[in-house]
Amino acid sequence: MTDTARTTGNGGSTGHGGGSLVHGGGAGSVGIKDVAREAGVSVGTVSNVINQPDRVSPATLQHVRGVIARLGYVRSESARQLRAGRSRIMALLVLDMGNPFFVDIARGAERTARAAGLGVMVCNSDQDAGNEADYLSLFAEQRVRGVLVTPADPSGANLRDFRRHGIPAVLVDRVAGDGAGCSVSVDDVVGGSLAIRHLTATGHRSFAYVSGPSHLQQVRDRREGALLALAEAGLPAAALQEIPADRLDVASGRDAGSRLLGLPHRPTAVFCANDLLALGVLQSLYAAGVRVPEDMAIVGYDDIEFAAAATVPLTSVRQPALTLGARAAALLLEETGDGAADHRHEHVVLQPELVVRRSTLAGR
């Protein structure tokens, strides 16, 4: 192992000991051994000047600091943290950064991390298992403190491979069924029930469920809750027509809205697996002259900021996104902090709530 860092072919550098800095001209890098050689002192003395200056005589301290300044040496914090095994960066991997729900999760995680002196690296899998695998490999290479992740891979293989590196991972908006790590989720069965109970209470008897990718547990749980609420109301499962969507975005919602309008038995209410889908459905209905809520009521899920700002403000099942992110980050800090030896995995389940707005106010 060497304390001198060398510039790699792609412009990066690797370093040990005190770290490195590229020279002003970019031709090379300065390591702690270079400083020691130039100053005529040991590497240990340079290390003490940097990390424990009280252990060095004033004259030596002044001399070595002058050499450091002249050579342009700066300690590599990343290298130091790698050696200590205590990176100050946690990673957050979400399904879709175009969805304000995940933006709020990131904000919650960042607040908790910053309070502990850490930063958050946010990445987007774009609901793709291959992208997820690539990012998890990157996180392992960078030896991040830990990872907060909403998985895109339904098999869980990506996370199983990642955990072999010994880096903690906390699931966000998903339950850790294998018990291999902590998780923070929302009870989506309850959320689906809240949506349909509200619609049945306002007089509706025929419904559509605009779902998302079937491999997502949240999508299946919200449908399960909807069916439970139908049974409670004495209605058959056939009262809920499912309209699948490839993605959880506005474009998929518009497409689902077009298919909804083409159903031979058009329902009077539609429950969408998230707000972006609901906004897309709303656009399709508006373009077709279908009045909301007079002709068709709509309920979304997540209660993103745009739900209240829609042309017809959306009733939505609110998920506590900020709390999701903050709690997940706190669990990761507990697992990687000074008390890590006593850490026990937790599976936190938060409760959703219904926020009623104009998109469902006219009953049948």
Side-chain angles (χ1 to χ4, degrees):
M1 180 179 294
T2 175
D3 290 303
T4 303
R6 301 190 184 281
T7 304
T8 62
N10 63 2
S13 63
T14 58
H16 304 283
S20 66
L21 179 75
V22 175
H23 283 289
S29 58
V30 177
I32 193 170
K33 286 186 176 180
D34 299 312
V35 175
R37 185 166 46 249
E38 181 72 14
V41 299
S42 69
V43 170
T45 298
V46 178
S47 179
N48 284 337
V49 167
I50 297 169
N51 299 302
Q52 302 179 80
D54 57 310
R55 300 184 62 180
V56 183
S57 70
T60 300
L61 187 66
Q62 182 179 3
H63 171 61
V64 174
R65 282 178 171 172
V67 172
I68 287 173
R70 186 169 71 254
L71 294 183
Y73 166 83
V74 173
R75 177 176 60 180
S76 170
E77 179 68 12
S78 61
R80 187 178 72 87
Q81 294 292 348
L82 283 174
R83 287 195 313 282
R86 295 289 297 275
S87 170
R88 293 180 58 227
I89 297 296
M90 67 172 63
L92 170 63
L93 181 58
V94 300
L95 291 177
D96 180 12
M97 280 305 294
N99 187 338
F101 169 69
F102 289 110
V103 174
D104 284 344
I105 284 178
R107 288 172 56 208
E110 183 185 30
R111 289 177 185 176
T112 298
R114 283 174 60 88
L118 274 65
V120 179
M121 175 169 54
V122 183
C123 298
N124 175 31
S125 71
D126 199 28
Q127 304 178 43
D128 182 90
N131 291 343
E132 176 182 88
D134 290 342
Y135 275 123
L136 289 174
S137 293
L138 174 64
F139 300 155
E141 291 172 7
Q142 296 298 313
R143 300 298 300 176
V144 297
R145 176 83 162 238
V147 176
L148 313 177
V149 57
T150 303
D153 172 24
S155 74
N158 286 342
L159 270 176
R160 285 194 296 273
D161 288 344
F162 175 75
R163 285 193 169 109
R164 291 185 300 181
H165 297 285
I167 302 174
V170 176
L171 298 193
V172 184
D173 196 32
R174 195 75 54 85
V175 176
D178 58 5
C182 293
S183 65
V184 184
S185 62
V186 173
D187 193 330
D188 286 310
V189 175
V190 168
S193 296
L194 287 173
I196 298 301
R197 282 176 188 157
H198 169 66
L199 292 171
T200 58
T202 53
H204 294 278
R205 294 295 179 266
S206 61
F207 313 87
Y209 175 48
V210 176
S211 61
S214 60
H215 69 267
L216 294 179
Q217 187 64 45
Q218 296 97 319
V219 169
R220 299 197 300 271
D221 285 349
R222 292 165 197 178
R223 181 179 184 274
E224 180 184 344
L227 292 174
L228 287 173
L230 287 181
E232 290 174 4
L235 296 171
L240 183 71
Q241 303 180 69
E242 185 167 356
I243 302 175
D246 292 334
R247 297 176 63 84
L248 296 167
D249 55 24
V250 174
S252 296
R254 285 194 295 266
D255 175 69
S258 297
R259 285 181 281 139
L260 173 66
L261 292 170
L263 292 175
H265 302 289
R266 186 182 297 178
T268 63
V270 56
F271 168 42
C272 298
N274 79 349
D275 284 339
L276 296 183
L277 287 173
L279 291 170
V281 169
L282 178 61
Q283 290 176 9
S284 289
L285 298 185
Y286 183 82
V290 176
R291 298 172 301 164
V292 176
E294 292 81 5
D295 300 325
M296 189 175 296
I298 302 178
V299 178
Y301 206 104
D302 291 340
D303 194 35
I304 62 175
E305 184 178 355
F306 298 138
T311 304
V312 179
L314 281 173
T315 292
S316 183
V317 178
R318 174 179 293 166
Q319 296 203 82
L322 286 169
T323 303
L324 272 170
R327 192 72 185 93
L331 287 173
L332 184 59
L333 290 172
E334 290 172 12
E335 188 170 356
T336 59
D338 294 335
D342 298 322
H343 175 78
R344 296 293 180 270
H345 293 322
E346 294 183 47
H347 306 293
V348 178
V349 180
L350 304 174
Q351 293 301 307
E353 61 177 309
L354 184 73
V355 180
V356 178
R357 299 191 180 94
R358 192 154 59 88
S359 69
T360 60
L361 285 182
R364 308 299 297 180

